Amino acid sequence: MTAHSPYVRWFNELRLADVPEVGGKNASLGELYSALAKEGIRVPNGFALTAQAYREALTAAHAWHELRVLLTGFDHRDVTMLAERARKARAVVYRATGNTGLREHIRAAYHALEREYGRNVAVAVRSSATAEDLPTASFAGQHESYLNVRGQAAVVEACRQCFASIFTDRAIVYRIDNGFDHFKVALSVGVMKMVRSDRAASGVIFTLDTESGFRDVVFITGSYGLGEDIVQGNVDPDEFYVHKPTFRAGHRAVLSRALGGKEMQLVFARGRGDKRTRNRPTGPAQRSRFCLTDPEVLELADYAIRIEDHYSHLAGHPTPMDIEWAKDGEDGRLYIVQARPETVASQRTADSFETFALEGEGKVLVSGRAVGEKIAAGTVRVIADKAGLAAFRPGEVLVAETTTPDWEPVMKTAGAIVTDRGGRTCHAAIVARELGVPAVVGADGATTALKTGAAVTVNCAEGEVGRVYDGKLPFTATRVPLGTVPRPKTHIMVNLGNPELAFHTAMLPNDGVGLARMEFIIEEHIGVHPMALAAPDKVASAKERRAIVRLTRNYARPADFFVERLAEGVGTIAAAFWPKPVIVRLSDFKTNEYANLLGGAGFEPKEANPMLGFRGAARYAHPAYAAGFALECAALRRVRDDIGLTNLKIMVPFCRRVAEGKAVIAEMAKHGLVRGKNGLEIYVMCEIPNNVIAIDQFAELFDGFSIGSNDLTQLTLGVDRDSAIVAFDFDERDPGMLQMLRLAVEGARRNRRHVGICGEAPANYPEIARFLAHLGIDSISVNPASLLRTMTVVHDAEEAAAKARAAE
């Protein structure tokens, strides 16, 4: 390395405290290289040109007055004037930084890098502002970067272009909007050895969930080639989650995976000149498989957790991180190439909770990945390129193939954003999240299907999938101050089936999950009958067999597809609420519902009354479904044993007789789910009158009961809950039903077993919630939308009961 210079600082000389000298990005690289590289976290070497070099170059060129004239007293919202002033300002800086002394410093430092990595080594040249990567301002994408730069002359030129990019249109607007003085912010330039991810893969890591702000996961995105395609939204990347608490406890397992389209990859261009990189299409074989193996995901998660711990220690408080990674195609190793504090999701206040709900129905025009958990309605404006931005009006729905940092002044005024391409860490998603604007990214065909002037509703409030509806549909937005929600002694839990809503829901006040519906995960995330995967050769339809082969092509056995996808869905819910209890109900489809799954028709009998037929506990040990049940057990065992989510409890539905319960428990034990082992508790649904009548005997087999008020009401009153003509007779408030609820609660308490209710009766009828609270039920589980209201009702009931006892 060269001797210490006021203009050049090597990464091993830098720490976070050097932000005033080299900017946030370079100071962070120095911190990574100096403090963490020796602990096994790989960081490429490099050097920084200091802010002093920038300032002294402008002073020597007498450039400050000219810049002040250009950047003072104009309307930055005038896009044309902004572009002209910014162009002239960049030219001033470019000329000033071309002096002989600075050129020699750059050449000497690059030559030292050549001695370490080889002659003509390729480098990345990146800008680093002295106000950059602060907890309150990201400056993401405001300044320029140049990749695959080789040779002394090219490196000098790239550094000058980086210095000049302090006055890009977008950087000027960003500083004005965020209250930064143009002349108090200086630019440093980082020069770092390129990682050959053009021959492998790269991506972004967040040490929280970017949508909900949930902090107990590492969220990793990745695609083939250089990482700019992910940031710019040119590709739909692969996504992975790892659960931090169980990882820290020694469990090494990926929580969930989502295969992205990875439509193209950014690679080095051949030859010389300004075109240093180019995009090429990704082949079908690469697109159909993940860009990272599970061990690589876990290695990156380990890096991310250690980086977060290090930065949190330095800051004195938890500091979620935004990290860039790259895999070198030549040595096969993973590298960290940037780390900064995350500045959007981690900054949200937790003093209130806002929920959105669509009230109307409409035609879905396009769908993609949801960003923002909100709903907005407005008029479409399709923008083909930067030139079209002048026509955009505030409040319109911005629709584009993708977005770039140059578009940000207009994006700030959009009611919603929709893009053809991109994943949840692309430019459009990052900006929309920072602005609090709902966005649907990766909505293939949006620029064709959505027409300028058309009214649409953008819905990002229903999980991972965002939808754009035709017309302006009614919706509600509710903000609840969390400090005003009373917490009753009775545990108030949630019913949940959709893993995509788990992180968001877990941040509401709650006492865990009283009912995790396995059938939702099977239907929405698997779509294939378990027996068709356990015995694919028995699927009669050739068309369905081909469809199953396509779905399971990346798995050693079709059954592995079912086990992995079910474990991911259940595991995500258990991870979201860890360490609170999560009670998952074994599959409770009726035969007609099972038959509708891919490959299912040939495995299911045709029944006149499926509601009372081959369902629930009757299936699990039966030869007609035993192989499918083995797959359910394998998935649950993976969640508890491999991922380490021992807060997961298992519940058996529709168990008619005690003997049937014994058979199911024995079948579960045969597949490694032994009651009591590793703290496993097995519950049973209390939804058949016989469960209440024989509750003492059932209590000998099971650790707890969950009252299913829908089926229990149906079977107690003899009313088909699906028949409109007798619907008036279906009423959980009937005196006979209240007596049945009383017997169930008292019987469970008599046997010292947990008892809860997971039907919607307490949410629909506050008087039932009060009745159950008076009985001393342990938990009431309702849908998320009813959670806060139920807490209030039960708290008031407990207060009233306490006053009544005191009066006695």
Side-chain angles (χ1 to χ4, degrees):
M1 302 304 149
T2 57
H4 179 83
S5 161
Y7 289 173
V8 176
R9 298 288 303 277
W10 288 90
F11 288 172
N12 65 354
E13 302 176 276
L14 297 173
R15 300 300 287 259
L16 272 186
D18 294 310
V19 170
E21 187 175 357
V22 295
K25 191 173 293 173
N26 286 333
S28 190
L29 280 168
E31 186 70 37
L32 289 170
Y33 193 88
S34 301
L36 297 175
K38 60 178 177 284
E39 296 182 11
I41 296 177
R42 298 186 197 91
V43 183
N45 196 10
F47 61 88
L49 301 177
T50 64
Q52 183 178 344
Y54 165 81
R55 291 192 180 100
E56 291 188 5
L58 266 62
T59 299
H62 307 288
W64 294 111
H65 176 71
E66 188 176 358
L67 290 172
R68 288 185 186 278
V69 170
L70 284 170
L71 298 170
T72 303
F74 77 101
D75 183 1
H76 68 283
R77 291 165 295 187
D78 184 330
V79 177
T80 303
M81 183 181 294
L82 170 67
E84 178 64 14
R85 297 284 183 104
R87 182 186 63 77
K88 290 180 178 179
R90 289 195 298 275
V92 170
V93 176
Y94 180 77
R95 287 194 302 270
T97 53
N99 67 75
T100 302
L102 185 54
R103 286 173 180 269
E104 287 305 316
H105 280 288
I106 298 171
R107 290 192 184 108
Y110 178 72
H111 185 58
L113 210 56
E114 285 183 306
R115 288 197 295 270
E116 180 176 357
Y117 289 114
R119 186 175 178 276
N120 223 32
V121 59
V123 295
V125 181
R126 300 180 185 274
S127 309
S128 178
T130 56
E132 194 170 44
D133 296 331
L134 302 177
T136 54
S138 69
F139 278 77
Q142 304 304 318
H143 310 112
E144 299 296 350
S145 295
Y146 299 92
L147 307 178
N148 188 27
V149 183
R150 295 175 181 270
Q152 292 183 9
V155 171
V156 170
E157 174 66 14
C159 289
R160 293 178 67 192
Q161 295 285 0
C162 276
F163 277 129
S165 73
I166 192 170
F167 294 121
T168 60
D169 303 19
R170 57 189 180 268
I172 292 170
V173 172
Y174 192 91
R175 283 194 294 271
I176 292 172
D177 288 347
N178 287 276
F180 290 97
D181 187 327
H182 295 305
F183 306 104
K184 289 184 179 178
V185 175
L187 206 68
S188 166
V189 175
V191 179
M192 182 173 67
K193 191 259 182 186
M194 278 291 303
V195 176
R196 293 303 304 268
S197 58
D198 62 304
R199 296 182 175 178
S202 59
V204 181
I205 309 170
F206 290 92
T207 58
L208 46 55
D209 176 54
T210 53
E211 295 312 308
S212 63
F214 180 74
R215 295 195 177 190
D216 276 352
V217 288
V218 177
F219 174 45
I220 300 170
T221 67
S223 189
Y224 298 115
L226 302 170
E228 269 61 20
D229 267 350
I230 292 180
V231 175
Q232 293 170 9
N234 292 328
V235 296
D236 178 20
D238 296 335
E239 296 181 350
F240 310 87
Y241 282 98
V242 174
H243 186 233
K244 286 193 281 190
T246 49
F247 188 94
R248 292 182 189 278
H251 292 274
R252 296 295 182 264
V254 177
L255 180 63
S256 69
R257 311 154 187 82
L259 188 68
K262 305 184 294 294
E263 299 84 355
M264 60 184 70
Q265 51 190 305
L266 189 65
V267 299
F268 289 172
R270 293 178 180 174
R272 297 181 177 272
D274 292 335
K275 192 67 176 174
R276 300 183 180 94
T277 60
R278 65 181 178 87
N279 263 312
R280 71 181 184 200
T282 306
Q286 283 182 294
R287 293 182 64 181
S288 68
R289 65 174 183 265
F290 289 104
C291 67
L292 290 169
T293 63
D294 277 12
E296 288 172 334
V297 172
L298 296 171
E299 182 178 345
L300 288 174
D302 178 51
Y303 287 178
I305 291 170
R306 287 197 279 154
I307 291 170
E308 181 182 51
D309 287 348
H310 179 75
Y311 279 69
S312 297
H313 175 73
L314 292 175
H317 56 77
T319 305
M321 299 297 293
D322 172 354
I323 301 164
E324 296 175 20
W325 65 271
K327 180 180 178 180
D328 195 305
E330 295 182 344
D331 64 20
R333 293 179 172 179
L334 296 165
Y335 293 83
I336 299 301
V337 296
Q338 188 52 253
R340 60 182 72 84
E342 197 278 339
T343 58
V344 180
S346 58
Q347 301 300 309
R348 294 175 188 152
T349 58
D351 58 349
S352 64
F353 189 86
E354 190 173 35
T355 59
F356 287 76
L358 197 64
E359 300 293 328
E361 295 182 0
K363 178 184 177 183
V364 176
L365 300 176
V366 293
S367 61
R369 300 204 176 203
V371 176
E373 298 180 341
K374 294 183 178 181
I375 300 175
T379 302
V380 169
R381 175 75 61 180
V382 180
I383 304 293
D385 51 38
K386 185 179 177 181
L389 292 173
F392 191 85
R393 296 293 175 265
E396 291 182 329
V397 176
L398 173 62
V399 179
E401 186 175 347
T402 186
T403 66
T404 69
D406 292 324
W407 294 33
E408 289 179 27
V410 165
M411 294 171 74
K412 289 176 181 291
T413 69
I417 299 168
V418 183
T419 64
D420 283 339
R421 302 201 307 264
R424 288 191 290 160
T425 54
C426 73
H427 175 264
I430 291 170
V431 173
R433 208 174 283 121
E434 187 168 344
L435 297 174
V437 172
V440 179
V441 298
D444 189 33
T447 51
T448 302
L450 306 179
K451 307 296 183 184
T452 294
V456 298
T457 301
V458 179
N459 182 6
C460 297
E462 295 178 341
E464 182 179 333
V465 178
R467 298 175 177 86
V468 181
Y469 292 89
D470 188 16
K472 292 186 178 181
L473 304 181
F475 63 90
T476 58
T478 305
R479 182 179 291 275
V480 179
L482 296 185
T484 66
V485 179
R487 297 299 296 269
K489 295 177 182 177
T490 306
H491 285 175
I492 307 300
M493 307 173 81
V494 292
N495 298 333
L496 192 64
N498 187 350
E500 296 166 7
L501 297 176
F503 298 148
H504 181 76
T505 305
M507 298 179 76
L508 282 167
N510 71 84
D511 293 301
V513 178
L515 173 62
R517 302 183 185 92
M518 185 185 287
E519 52 270 15
F520 179 94
I521 300 168
I522 294 174
E523 184 173 25
E524 296 295 324
H525 295 268
I526 300 172
V528 187
H529 194 288
M531 288 300 296
L533 293 168
D537 54 314
K538 294 183 180 180
V539 176
S541 166
K543 181 180 178 181
E544 290 187 325
R545 285 200 303 273
R546 288 194 297 271
I548 291 171
V549 168
R550 283 195 301 272
L551 281 172
T552 63
R553 63 187 179 277
N554 291 326
Y555 294 83
R557 303 179 308 145
D560 295 340
F561 167 73
F562 182 91
V563 173
E564 181 175 280
R565 297 302 293 270
L566 183 58
E568 288 179 345
V570 172
T572 296
I573 296 174
F577 291 85
W578 171 270
K580 298 173 185 174
V582 171
I583 304 169
V584 62
R585 185 176 66 190
L586 297 166
S587 64
D588 193 26
F589 286 123
K590 286 74 175 176
T591 51
N592 58 321
E593 295 168 336
Y594 266 120
N596 288 332
L597 296 171
L598 183 64
F603 293 100
E604 296 297 330
K606 289 183 170 56
E607 297 182 301
N609 189 356
M611 185 73 77
L612 296 178
F614 188 45
R615 62 174 287 205
R619 299 181 66 94
Y620 304 141
H622 195 284
Y625 189 71
F629 184 62
L631 301 185
E632 293 187 33
C633 291
L636 298 178
R637 193 173 68 249
R638 178 178 292 189
V639 173
R640 286 182 52 85
D641 296 347
D642 296 350
I643 305 177
L645 293 164
T646 52
N647 60 326
L648 188 72
K649 305 174 189 289
I650 299 173
M651 184 155 63
V652 179
F654 219 76
C655 186
R656 295 177 171 96
R657 297 176 300 110
V658 172
E660 199 169 62
K662 290 179 179 178
V664 171
I665 288 175
E667 192 72 10
M668 290 173 65
K670 190 168 72 175
H671 297 299
L673 294 172
V674 180
R675 181 186 173 203
K677 182 180 178 181
N678 201 18
L680 175 61
E681 293 185 0
I682 302 176
Y683 286 22
V684 66
M685 291 288 291
C686 184
E687 55 189 343
I688 300 170
N690 196 41
N691 299 142
V692 180
I693 296 167
I695 198 164
D696 295 320
Q697 290 74 38
F698 279 103
E700 294 177 8
L701 294 178
F702 296 101
D703 298 290
F705 298 87
S706 184
I707 300 168
S709 59
N710 289 339
D711 271 352
L712 188 58
T713 302
Q714 174 177 241
L715 297 174
T716 298
L717 300 180
V719 177
D720 181 357
R721 71 188 199 199
D722 293 330
S723 173
I725 199 168
V726 294
F728 63 90
D729 270 335
F730 186 92
D731 191 342
E732 295 96 328
R733 297 167 297 178
D734 183 271
M737 260 308 296
L738 295 179
Q739 180 65 5
M740 192 67 78
L741 292 173
R742 180 188 299 277
L743 291 172
V745 173
E746 290 177 349
R749 290 175 65 82
R750 179 172 64 249
N751 287 279
R752 297 181 180 177
R753 292 289 184 257
H754 175 95
V755 59
I757 185 168
C758 60
E760 281 301 300
N764 294 335
Y765 305 113
E767 59 266 42
I768 288 185
R770 287 192 286 268
F771 175 72
L772 293 169
H774 284 135
L775 290 176
I777 198 167
D778 294 309
S779 65
I780 295 174
S781 190
V782 295
N783 287 332
S786 306
L787 188 65
L788 303 179
R789 184 177 73 249
T790 304
M791 280 188 173
T792 302
V793 169
V794 173
H795 177 269
D796 291 347
E798 291 175 348
E799 292 284 295
K803 288 179 181 177
R805 286 193 297 270
E808 293 174 359

